[in-house]
Amino acid sequence: MPLAASESLIHVSIKAETLFTIGPLHFTNSMVGALLASAILLVASWWFLRRAAMVPNRFQTAFELPIEWLAGIVAGSTSRWRSYVALVIGLFLMILIANWLGLLPGVGTIGLVRESEGGKELVPFVRPASADLNFTLGLAIITFVVFVWWGVRLHGPLGYLKELAGEPRYMAPLMFPIHLISELSRLVSLSMRLFGNVFAGEVLLATMLALTTAVLFVLPLAFFIPAIFLGLELLFGFVQALVFALLTMAYITLAIAERQGGHAHDESAAAAGPDGAPAPAHA
């Protein structure tokens, strides 16, 4: 039966809870959060594209400002930035909406009550997608595939493996496993960092909600306690989305720079004059 959080035992499960099952598919509350975040982005994009004007109004300016700001950061990374700027901005917006969705009233606090070994538990209908390791791992896998693809694209499969082997060649049996673990560690770092921070925020908000409910009749100012932490979670949600997007950009930039380092140096030397100054442009 549906029940509010104040009427049941508030708990935060480290894994997403299953709402219902369709064959082998377990539909969880974090999947609902991911679908809602995707729907919000799609509707906002559709509405923005239909109403965008050459002379933007205040709403359009506010919508474009963070996107243009992040695009400006990516534009300063490499000359190939246009090939991956959409991925970086898309990851940022998806994670940002998924994080902020968890701060809406009812998210994580309204759901079904089920019996467990510890008594009654509340299984919320909607849970922040970023608090599920499956979601963050999926985004990290996308990033991992993209920056590895850049390395293979610019240096070829065998060249990429040679880069992992490192120099000198006789150290390859030792250096290859180290470099391979270093590459895979980025996958773990991206997924665990986002999951850990969002899950910790979810636990903190649940704790403050339970504390507020307990002291509500003793301390009227208890209403302001969750508001402070909600404000902090707004900031942390933005920071975590930005960190994930910028790390994605950094890993792709490193993949391009490492594979093209020699070529970029040769092109810069060819473009420079005899004294090191840039050669004059020709009409």
Side-chain angles (χ1 to χ4, degrees), residues 34 38 87 90-96 98-99 129-130 132-147 186-187 190-191 194-195 240-241 244-245 248 251:
S38 302
L87 172 66
L91 288 173
F92 170 74
L93 293 177
M94 181 62 187
I95 296 172
L96 181 66
N99 290 347
S130 301
D132 184 0
L133 184 57
N134 294 308
F135 176 80
T136 62
L137 183 59
L139 297 183
I141 290 175
I142 293 174
T143 299
F144 180 81
V145 170
V146 169
F147 74 73
R186 298 175 180 177
L187 179 65
L190 280 172
S191 58
L194 179 59
F195 164 73
Q240 291 305 316
F244 195 101
T248 298
Y251 292 154

Side-chain angles (χ1 to χ4, degrees), residues 268-280:
S268 301
D275 58 349

Side-chain angles (χ1 to χ4, degrees), residues 104-257:
L104 294 178
V107 176
T109 57
I110 297 178
L112 298 172
V113 175
R114 295 177 181 174
E115 295 290 341
S116 66
E117 296 180 357
K120 291 183 177 180
E121 290 183 350
L122 176 71
V123 178
F125 293 128
V126 185
R127 186 177 180 184
S130 301
D132 184 0
L133 184 57
N134 294 308
F135 176 80
T136 62
L137 183 59
L139 297 183
I141 290 175
I142 293 174
T143 299
F144 180 81
V145 170
V146 169
F147 74 73
V148 169
W149 175 81
W150 270 107
V152 174
R153 175 188 175 186
L154 296 176
H155 214 70
L158 292 178
Y160 179 74
L161 292 176
K162 289 181 180 179
E163 289 290 332
L164 288 180
E167 295 287 349
R169 296 306 180 192
Y170 64 84
M171 293 292 293
L174 175 63
M175 299 307 298
F176 182 83
I178 295 176
H179 290 163
L180 182 61
I181 293 174
S182 176
E183 295 280 281
L184 294 175
S185 67
R186 298 175 180 177
L187 179 65
V188 177
S189 173
L190 280 172
S191 58
M192 294 301 295
R193 179 186 292 105
L194 179 59
F195 164 73
N197 282 281
V198 176
F199 179 75
E202 190 182 26
V203 173
L204 177 62
L205 288 178
T207 303
M208 296 312 302
L209 177 62
L211 177 63
T212 301
T213 304
V215 301
L216 184 60
F217 300 103
V218 179
L219 183 63
L221 292 178
F223 281 110
F224 297 98
I225 297 177
I228 296 174
F229 286 93
L230 284 173
L232 291 174
E233 286 302 314
L234 278 173
L235 176 61
F236 293 157
F238 173 82
V239 170
Q240 291 305 316
L242 182 63
V243 167
F244 195 101
L246 292 182
L247 283 176
T248 298
M249 180 199 72
Y251 292 154
I252 297 174
T253 301
L254 286 174
I256 294 174

Side-chain angles (χ1 to χ4, degrees), residues 66-92 150 242 244-250 252-253 256:
I67 297 177
E68 292 180 351
W69 172 70
L70 187 57
I73 295 177
V74 179
S77 56
T78 68
S79 60
R80 298 174 180 264
W81 66 275
R82 290 181 180 85
S83 301
Y84 54 87
V85 63
L87 172 66
V88 175
I89 294 177
L91 288 173
F92 170 74
W150 270 107
L242 182 63
F244 195 101
L246 292 182
L247 283 176
T248 298
M249 180 199 72
I252 297 174
T253 301
I256 294 174

Side-chain angles (χ1 to χ4, degrees), residues 36-47 63 90 93-95 97:
L36 285 177
S38 302
I40 291 173
L41 283 176
L42 289 174
V43 171
S45 301
W46 173 81
W47 186 91
F63 190 85
L93 293 177
M94 181 62 187
I95 296 172
I97 299 300

